[in-house]
Amino acid sequence: MFRVLVLGLGEGLGEALRNPYYWGRLGWSLGYGLASSLLTVLLALPLAYAFRYRFPGREALLSLSTVPFVLPTLVVALGFLALAGPRGLLGLNLQGTPWILLWAAVFYNLGLVLRLLVVLLPSLETPLAAARTLGASPWRAYLRVGVPLLAPGLLAGGGLTFLYTFSSFGLPLVLGGTRYATLEVEIYTLLSYRLAFPEATALALAQLAVSAGVTLLYLWAQARLALSLQAGAGPRPLPRAKAWALALALWLGFTLLYAPLLALLLQALQSPGAFASVWHSDDFTPAGEALWNTLRFAGLTLMLAFPTGFLYAYAVWRGERQGWGTRWLDLGGMLPLLVSPVLVGLGYLLAYPRLSGSLGLLIAAYALLSYPLLSRALLPALRAMPHSVLEAARTLGAGPWRRLWRVEWPLLQPALRSGAALTLAAVVGEFGATLVLRRPEWTTLSLAIYERLGRPGATPFAEALALAVLLGLLAGGVFYLLDRGRGTVG
């Protein structure tokens, strides 16, 4: 990473500052991030109001709203192409427009923002009841009293949405075209087609500076969010007819939002032969080879990311208990989530040029990008462990290692499974770092899809759809089998 900074602060920074094209990429990336955040927050606000009430399927819908978080980028991109691309079911081609990118941003982030707001809902009931007593209508009370109380959740959710969209790569690469390429796409283009390392690192430095500023805002909002949580009643009951009407409206709305996934499945089923041809393709990487690479890379990464994430989370937790002031250590563990996969790949190439093309370098990049997901899932469970149980084990003579194995480890099993599920789902769909560090024989399912998208014709597109269905089922299946909705990311 330091090699990246040195290159970016040298001749590349001056070249980037003098080129209006790069300023345009930065401006579009900022606009895309801000517009996505605003749109997602505006949609999440009325949805949060609706989730104050109890209706049939409420918990299932809330769980399904976060499904896009574990879906690989190219699966979602293929879904949007299947619905609103040149061969889309809508008959309306939105590829190469900002509208399809904004839709995709809402698709990915609405569930995350909604979950943040739903956590705050119980603390609204008393203030809203007071406002109603003073004569305010339900909706006016929510806007004038509830929304200000939701401000920490809105800032945290909006900050996360901005970070994800500002530095996004796969969706703008496939759906946006050259006109709506983000800084991340431009960095990859400079590396892959021009070998312009100084300019690429200068843009990466600018992207990192913006992300760091927004991250500080997010952490501040997250701290305020923790202070805002209060115990309260559960969802409010509704008359039966109104509850069913609300359920129908919300399920219909989410069905329209997630229509790209349905379109992906429908389009793929229209060409059943593609599911067979992808396994023995002569022009592209066969599905079997790509699947084997994906699975073995995921397994190798988990072997490295699991102990790294566990030890990091355990060190932060122990430091907090001992009063060591581990705030900056906790913040440092989030850095891989803020740095783009393309930048991580570039950093490894610059730091270890002699290892270029080695499998160890690729697995190290995967582990760096994924271990924070495991640690963020583990930290809340560590912090929630009952202090009395640990003290009882210590009183009975159990040493640190024995307490870890006999007491702490069993209590952490649900969080460990959730963290492993997030880690594997992220690695299975990883795309950016793989493009930078790949070798032809290392083609994963994501790269096999991208191979076929780069070739015109109906057959390659049909095979890409079939592979996208396979990749989506793999990522979603791994996450479901390990997690089952039990864990959270802190």
Side-chain angles (χ1 to χ4, degrees):
M1 188 60 64
F2 291 108
R3 294 289 299 275
V4 172
L5 296 180
V6 169
L7 277 176
L9 289 173
E11 60 183 77
L13 182 60
E15 177 65 26
L17 289 175
R18 289 190 297 268
N19 194 328
Y21 174 77
Y22 296 144
W23 284 103
R25 294 304 93 214
L26 175 61
W28 160 245
S29 299
L30 289 170
Y32 178 41
L34 290 172
S36 300
S37 301
L38 181 61
L39 184 59
T40 303
V41 165
L42 289 177
L43 288 174
L45 271 175
L47 285 174
Y49 181 82
F51 274 88
R52 291 178 58 225
Y53 298 99
R54 185 179 297 114
F55 56 85
R58 179 184 182 274
E59 298 305 320
L61 190 59
L62 196 57
S63 298
L64 288 173
S65 68
T66 55
V67 166
F69 183 75
V70 300
L71 288 179
T73 302
L74 283 187
V75 173
V76 175
L78 261 294
F80 277 93
L81 288 179
L83 181 66
R87 302 181 181 87
L89 297 178
L90 284 182
L92 177 66
N93 183 15
L94 296 179
Q95 187 180 17
T97 70
W99 315 117
I100 196 169
L101 291 174
L102 289 173
W103 185 359
V106 172
F107 174 91
Y108 258 119
N109 298 295
L110 182 60
L112 294 177
V113 178
L114 181 61
R115 291 298 289 263
L116 286 172
L117 298 183
V118 167
V119 171
L120 286 172
L121 290 179
S123 63
L124 298 183
E125 294 307 321
T126 301
L128 291 181
R132 292 292 309 278
T133 302
L134 295 174
S137 65
W139 187 242
R140 183 177 178 84
Y142 181 68
L143 290 178
R144 300 294 296 273
V145 178
V147 171
L149 293 174
L150 290 175
L154 295 175
L155 284 174
L160 280 177
T161 301
F162 179 88
L163 288 172
Y164 290 145
T165 52
F166 171 73
S167 59
S168 58
F169 175 65
L171 290 175
L173 179 68
V174 176
L175 301 177
T178 56
R179 184 177 180 183
Y180 297 106
T182 57
L183 275 182
E184 184 81 352
V185 176
E186 188 62 33
I187 292 169
Y188 169 71
T189 303
L190 287 170
L191 289 175
S192 299
Y193 299 103
R194 293 179 49 192
L195 297 179
F197 277 78
E199 290 89 342
T201 50
L203 296 185
L205 184 62
Q207 180 175 293
L208 186 60
V210 173
S211 298
V214 176
T215 301
L216 292 176
L217 175 63
Y218 164 72
L219 292 175
W220 175 83
Q222 191 182 47
R224 294 291 300 273
L225 180 65
L227 293 175
S228 301
L229 295 179
Q230 301 176 11
R236 302 180 62 186
L238 278 175
R240 185 179 180 86
K242 289 186 177 181
W244 278 102
L246 180 60
L248 180 62
L250 289 176
W251 278 97
L252 178 61
F254 274 91
T255 299
L256 293 176
L257 177 65
Y258 295 161
L261 295 182
L262 299 176
L264 171 63
L265 185 59
L266 290 175
Q267 281 253 42
L269 292 177
Q270 289 179 2
S271 303
F275 286 94
S277 63
V278 294
W279 297 96
H280 47 78
S281 176
D282 295 327
D283 299 324
F284 305 103
T285 303
E289 179 181 338
L291 178 61
W292 167 241
N293 286 334
T294 301
L295 292 175
R296 69 188 179 104
F297 293 167
L300 292 171
T301 300
L302 188 62
M303 292 173 62
L304 180 59
F306 193 93
T308 303
F310 178 83
L311 292 174
Y312 164 75
Y314 198 80
V316 171
W317 174 67
R318 293 288 294 179
E320 291 173 346
R321 288 178 58 85
Q322 299 296 329
W324 294 342
T326 56
R327 179 180 179 184
W328 290 108
L329 178 61
D330 191 10
L331 176 61
M334 291 186 63
L335 286 178
L337 297 178
L338 309 179
V339 180
S340 69
V342 171
L343 181 57
V344 168
L346 170 62
Y348 272 105
L349 285 178
L350 293 176
Y352 307 103
R354 294 184 178 181
L355 296 179
S356 177
S358 68
L359 183 59
L361 205 63
L362 180 67
I363 299 303
Y366 280 178
L368 180 65
L369 291 168
S370 59
Y371 91 84
L373 295 173
L374 188 141
S375 63
R376 302 315 297 182
L378 188 58
L379 272 172
L382 285 166
R383 291 163 175 161
M385 277 198 300
H387 183 70
S388 59
V389 174
L390 302 180
E391 287 300 319
R394 184 181 292 109
T395 303
L396 293 173
W401 287 106
R402 188 172 180 85
R403 286 200 309 271
L404 171 63
W405 182 249
R406 299 297 297 272
V407 179
E408 296 167 358
W409 185 264
L411 293 175
L412 296 175
Q413 290 304 300
L416 287 170
R417 285 193 293 269
S418 297
L422 286 169
T423 300
L424 286 174
V427 174
V428 163
E430 209 293 316
F431 182 50
T434 315
L435 272 177
V436 177
L437 300 173
R438 64 175 173 172
R439 287 173 54 175
E441 62 270 25
W442 293 348
T443 298
T444 60
L445 284 174
S446 291
L447 292 183
I449 293 171
Y450 191 60
E451 277 182 352
R452 288 157 172 84
L453 287 178
R455 189 79 61 86
T459 299
F461 184 71
E463 290 191 359
L465 292 175
L467 286 174
V469 171
L470 176 61
L471 180 57
L473 291 175
L474 178 62
V478 165
F479 182 78
Y480 175 76
L481 290 175
L482 288 175
D483 181 73
R484 304 283 180 91
R486 289 172 294 219
T488 57
V489 179

